[in-house]
Amino acid sequence: MTTTPKIAWIGLGAMGAPMALATAAAGMSVTAYDVSPDSLKAVESHLSVASNAREAVTGADVVAIMVATGTQLDSVLFGDDGVASELKQDTVVLVMATVGPQAIESAAARLEDVNVRVVDAPVSGGVARAKTGDLLIMVGGESSDVSVVQPLLNAMAAKSPVVGPKPGDGQRFKIVNQLLCGVHIAAAAEALALADSMGLDLTQVHDVLGTGAAASFMFSDRGQRMVDENFDDVRSALDIFVKDMGLVSEAAREVHQQVPLSSTAEQLYVRGHREGLGRKDDSITFKLLRGESD
C-alpha cells in the first residue's frame, strides 16, 4: 500500500463534493464520479473525473462512498454497474454516508469474500464544516484498515475518533447523533413557532435565548434559518431527516428502546415530506408548526 493512497470518490452531493475537494486540497490524488453531470462539472477543475463509477475505482487503494441511502450503497457496490467486481484485493471501501448498521454490515460481509475491507465513517457537521475540513467523523473498523484511510480523515475532520472495531459501529454512533439533531431541530421550530404566535420578535428571541441555557448548535444554526425564512437555500434537505429518523426508529425497535421524543419529531419530518416539502431546507419545520405552506 502506498503512503499516499490513490482515492476514488463516489457521490458529489451537498456534502460529498466539499469533502472530496478537501481531500484533494490535502494533496491526495482523487478521481470522482457522480450520476449527476452538473455535479461532475462543478468539481472538474479541482478533481479528476470519471465517466462512470467503475472507471473511477480502477486501481484505487481507497474508495470513498458518499450516497444518501442504503439502497444506493448497495447499487453502487453490487448493482448492474456496481464497482465491487472492479476492486483490487485489499482495497478499503470508506463508507461516509448515513445508511444504518444493517446496510454496512451486509456490504462488509459481501466484500470480505473478495478480500476488500470496509471502514464505516459517517460524518456530522454540515456543509459549511465540510468545506473547511472541520467535520466530526465517527469511525468503525479494524485498526489496520483505519490507518489506510487516516490521511483522508485528517483532511476532512477536526475529530475522527474510532468508536468501535468493526463496520457498523460508526453507524450506531451516528444514529444517536441524528436522534439528537432531529429532536433539536424540531424543538427549535416549536419554540420559535410559539414565540411567533405570541407576537415576539423572532430575531430578538433567537439572539437572547441563543446565549443562555437553551442554546444549542441547532437552535443557533437552524434557528437563524427559521428567522430568515430562507427555505430554498437548502443546506440540509428535510427528506434527509425523514430517512435518518427512520433509521433511529428502526434501531430503537431492534433493541426494544423507547424513543418518544424522536418518534414525535419523526412525524413532523414525515408530514413535511407528505406536504411536498422534502427538498426544502429542514428549517421549514418552523412553517409546518405555524400551519403555513410554502
Side-chain angles (χ1 to χ4, degrees):
M1 188 69 68
T2 58
T3 302
T4 303
K6 180 181 178 183
I7 313 301
W9 193 285
I10 310 297
L12 296 166
M15 288 289 290
M19 289 164 62
L21 290 170
T23 302
M28 280 166 270
S29 172
V30 180
T31 300
Y33 176 71
D34 192 278
V35 294
S36 166
D38 289 342
S39 295
L40 287 174
K41 186 175 180 61
V43 302
E44 64 183 2
S45 61
H46 302 282
L47 307 175
S48 297
V49 299
S51 60
N52 57 67
R54 289 183 174 178
E55 177 186 323
V57 306
T58 300
D61 302 308
V62 175
V63 176
I65 301 178
M66 189 61 178
V67 293
T69 67
T71 299
Q72 290 177 0
L73 174 65
D74 186 78
S75 178
V76 166
L77 290 171
F78 309 113
D80 292 341
D81 298 314
V83 303
S85 62
E86 302 299 316
L87 302 179
K88 63 182 184 179
Q89 287 194 0
D90 294 327
T91 298
V92 177
V93 173
L94 178 64
V95 182
M96 311 200 75
T98 303
V99 295
Q102 290 184 348
I104 291 288
E105 290 165 351
S106 175
R110 294 179 69 177
L111 290 172
E112 187 177 16
D113 292 339
V114 292
N115 202 30
V116 169
R117 287 85 55 76
V118 173
V119 172
D120 169 25
V123 307
S124 180
V127 174
R129 293 185 183 183
K131 290 178 179 178
T132 58
D134 197 31
L135 294 170
L136 166 64
I137 303 180
M138 294 151 275
V139 184
E142 294 186 8
S143 58
S144 58
D145 302 335
V146 173
S147 67
V148 174
V149 301
Q150 194 65 55
L152 285 79
L153 303 178
N154 293 343
M156 292 181 281
K159 296 180 181 179
S160 55
V162 177
V163 299
K166 61 185 185 299
D169 291 335
Q171 295 294 320
R172 291 182 177 89
F173 258 74
K174 183 62 186 291
I175 280 172
V176 176
N177 182 86
Q178 293 309 88
L179 184 157
L180 288 165
C181 290
V183 169
H184 286 176
I185 292 170
E190 186 173 301
L192 290 172
L194 175 61
D196 195 33
S197 293
M198 293 192 298
L200 301 179
D201 182 288
L202 291 187
T203 296
Q204 185 179 36
V205 169
H206 185 257
D207 289 345
V208 172
L209 299 187
T211 64
S216 70
F217 174 83
M218 287 303 183
F219 185 72
S220 174
D221 183 76
R222 300 309 203 276
Q224 186 63 61
R225 299 188 216 173
M226 294 171 191
V227 172
D228 293 341
E229 295 197 20
N230 189 9
F231 308 119
D232 291 320
D233 179 16
V234 181
R235 302 182 191 178
S236 175
L238 182 139
D239 271 349
I240 294 296
F241 273 96
V242 174
K243 183 257 297 185
D244 287 358
M245 299 306 275
L247 291 173
V248 171
S249 294
E250 180 181 322
R253 285 193 297 270
E254 289 178 0
V255 296
H256 309 291
Q257 174 60 52
Q258 296 182 20
V259 285
L261 297 180
S262 175
S263 296
T264 300
E266 181 183 7
Q267 291 309 305
L268 179 62
Y269 299 117
V270 169
R271 175 186 157 199
H273 174 81
R274 289 174 176 167
E275 294 186 16
L277 303 177
R279 301 305 302 165
K280 299 289 187 180
D281 191 81
D282 55 35
S283 57
I284 204 167
T285 46
F286 166 72
K287 293 196 77 172
L288 282 170
L289 289 170
R290 288 292 287 125
E292 301 172 7
S293 60
D294 190 60

